[in-house]
Amino acid sequence: MPMIEIQDLHKAYGDRKAVDGVSFAVEEGEIFGVLGPNGAGKTTTVECVAGLRVPDGGTVRVAGLDPVTRHEEVTRLLGVQLQQSELQPKLTVREALGLYASFHDRPADWRVLVERLGLEGQLGTRFGRLSGGQKQRLFVALALVGNPRAVVLDELTTGLDPRSRRETWALVEDIRAGGVTVLLVTHFMEEAQRLCDRIAVIDRGRVTALDTPAGLIDRTAASRTVSFAADTPLDRADLLALPGTVEVETRDGRTSVTGTDETVDAFIHLLARRAVTARGLRVVEATLDDAYLDLTGADRS
């Protein structure tokens, strides 16, 4: 049984369809990413998983349980950190962690979470006086304090500086290493590429692609770029004629050919046939950014 399973999920607000037939399953122990533009339906989808919104159609199950009709049971095994959350402004960090820990029979040691998330210096600080990044780290701690079997993290590193972001990534990897399933909503492509086992790309309320990060990258029209400086210039028309070529660009004496693996292979054969020596030859793989732009129909420029 998948830890989280969504089948043909629908949710509308008035005439606007926020989620229009989303389906995917998250296996136990997996870090599963959800990517998509603003307004694509990502947050609505995870709010249905958490039982915070009632679907108009389709089914959602967490460990086989309906998050709406079995909400109390689901809250015992699912930790949630949402994109927009608030606490009482006068509540201190220590009080918030102690309060949330009291809701669970076997809570985690929140002192360990505080140390890992760099909140030691804010234990006596009231919530209303925390910075945006500090609030975000507190909500991550609150999502984990119940020792959940699965956790939903919605934009967990928004507002964090690069060092804190990488420390939080390490925390997520530790969470998964402890057997916790992670459903991660993010806008950071580097974050998704580093952390996620699989990714669902949601656009206009629908899943447009579902694959591993490497699988999504391989789908892009331009998955490889080979760049070089040649002693003997190669004709641009010959480079454009290589199978799979998307773009040829020459700048500052270096030429870049963007295409696929087939393009790179054909280019190497072209060099051999023409007996051309390519200096500083480099082959660069496409990133998840490139794949995301292709899959969501965005302009590559």
Side-chain angles (χ1 to χ4, degrees):
M1 179 191 305
M3 177 57 68
I4 298 171
E5 187 171 18
I6 300 173
Q7 293 185 345
D8 197 28
L9 178 65
H10 288 78
K11 182 66 181 178
Y13 303 108
D15 295 332
R16 184 177 70 86
K17 292 182 179 180
V19 180
D20 189 17
V22 164
S23 298
F24 61 78
V26 182
E27 301 301 327
E28 189 166 3
E30 185 175 31
I31 300 178
F32 188 96
V34 178
L35 295 176
N38 289 331
K42 307 184 301 298
T43 294
T44 297
T45 298
V46 298
E47 286 177 344
C48 289
V49 170
L52 300 175
R53 296 198 183 273
V54 179
D56 297 331
T59 60
V60 179
R61 296 291 182 269
V62 178
L65 304 174
D66 185 324
V68 176
T69 62
R70 309 281 292 277
H71 187 69
E72 185 175 344
E73 293 166 88
V74 168
T75 56
R76 293 195 185 105
L77 56 88
L78 181 70
V80 180
Q81 173 265 323
L82 295 177
Q83 186 176 358
Q84 294 181 336
S85 301
E86 290 293 329
L87 294 175
Q88 290 286 345
K90 293 186 178 181
L91 198 67
T92 67
V93 170
R94 180 184 288 103
E95 289 168 342
L97 288 163
L99 176 64
Y100 273 62
S102 72
F103 297 154
H104 301 279
D105 295 330
R106 288 175 292 180
D109 184 347
W110 56 260
R111 296 167 188 81
V112 175
L113 295 173
V114 162
E115 181 179 354
R116 191 62 189 271
L117 288 165
L119 288 169
E120 305 100 316
Q122 284 76 45
L123 284 174
T125 304
R126 298 185 189 277
F127 178 79
R129 299 185 65 84
L130 295 175
S131 69
Q134 290 166 346
K135 289 179 179 179
Q136 195 76 338
R137 280 177 275 169
L138 174 58
F139 283 121
V140 173
L142 295 177
L144 299 174
V145 76
N147 269 326
R149 289 179 57 193
V151 64
V152 173
L153 302 173
D154 190 359
E155 305 291 350
L156 85 161
T157 58
T158 298
L160 300 186
D161 60 71
R163 181 182 298 277
S164 297
R165 184 176 299 138
R166 289 182 180 275
E167 290 172 350
T168 304
W169 293 351
L171 174 63
V172 174
E173 289 170 331
D174 287 348
I175 293 167
R176 193 266 291 278
V180 178
T181 304
V182 179
L183 178 58
L184 175 69
V185 180
T186 181
H187 277 113
F188 292 107
M189 298 300 131
E190 183 184 3
E191 180 169 288
Q193 191 165 351
R194 168 171 167 168
L195 294 177
C196 297
D197 299 301
R198 292 187 299 139
I199 295 170
V201 179
I202 297 181
D203 193 15
R204 299 178 180 87
R206 295 176 177 270
V207 174
T208 59
L210 198 165
D211 209 331
T212 64
L216 293 176
I217 291 169
D218 286 340
R219 293 188 190 193
T220 186
S223 59
R224 303 288 185 274
T225 296
V226 56
S227 65
F228 62 96
D231 294 326
T232 303
L234 291 170
D235 189 88
R236 178 181 172 83
D238 289 339
L239 296 174
L240 286 170
L242 295 174
T245 297
V246 172
E247 183 180 25
V248 175
E249 181 181 20
T250 300
R251 181 182 299 173
D252 298 330
R254 290 189 64 83
T255 299
S256 297
V257 181
T258 301
T260 63
D261 282 334
E262 188 179 9
T263 307
V264 175
D265 291 341
F267 170 74
I268 298 300
H269 284 100
L270 177 64
L271 291 180
R273 290 198 307 272
R274 301 286 176 84
V276 173
T277 300
R279 293 179 285 104
L281 182 67
R282 289 185 296 175
V283 178
V284 179
E285 294 187 359
T287 65
L288 194 57
D289 278 292
D290 299 311
Y292 175 79
L293 292 174
D294 276 358
L295 292 166
T296 57
D299 187 347
R300 288 180 59 85
S301 63

